[in-house]
Amino acid sequence: MPSTGPAGPWRHEFTRVDGVRLHYVRQGAGTPVVLLHGWPGFWYEWAPVISPLAAHHDVIVPDLRGFAYSARDRLRA
């Protein structure tokens, strides 16, 4: 899948959860570490610490639903 967002040593990936397309950035190998952004941010808030953590861990940094490159739910009537 083509990269979306700022380039770096990380990989941009997408997955579907309950029909919603979510974007996440991943780098490294080993014990998983998940970094969650606050409101109104997105994954790039964690950019300065991704590579240092990835030296020892599998770092996974999602865009929460409705933020940045992740989709948002359609409201159902």
Side-chain angles (χ1 to χ4, degrees):
M1 177 157 293
S3 177
T4 299
W10 41 72
R11 297 182 315 276
H12 292 268
E13 300 181 19
F14 291 89
T15 191
R16 284 203 176 272
V17 178
D18 292 332
V20 179
R21 185 175 184 239
L22 298 177
H23 168 262
Y24 62 97
V25 168
R26 193 169 202 167
Q27 182 184 351
T31 307
V33 172
V34 178
L35 304 175
L36 300 176
H37 64 79
W39 186 89
F42 69 115
W43 76 267
Y44 197 71
E45 291 180 7
W46 293 107
V49 299
I50 294 172
S51 291
L53 286 171
H56 304 284
H57 302 282
D58 178 13
V59 182
I60 306 159
V61 191
D63 280 329
L64 299 178
R65 182 175 57 200
F67 291 86
Y69 305 110
S70 287
R72 60 182 173 87
D73 280 344
R74 298 266 181 204
L75 294 177
R76 295 185 181 111

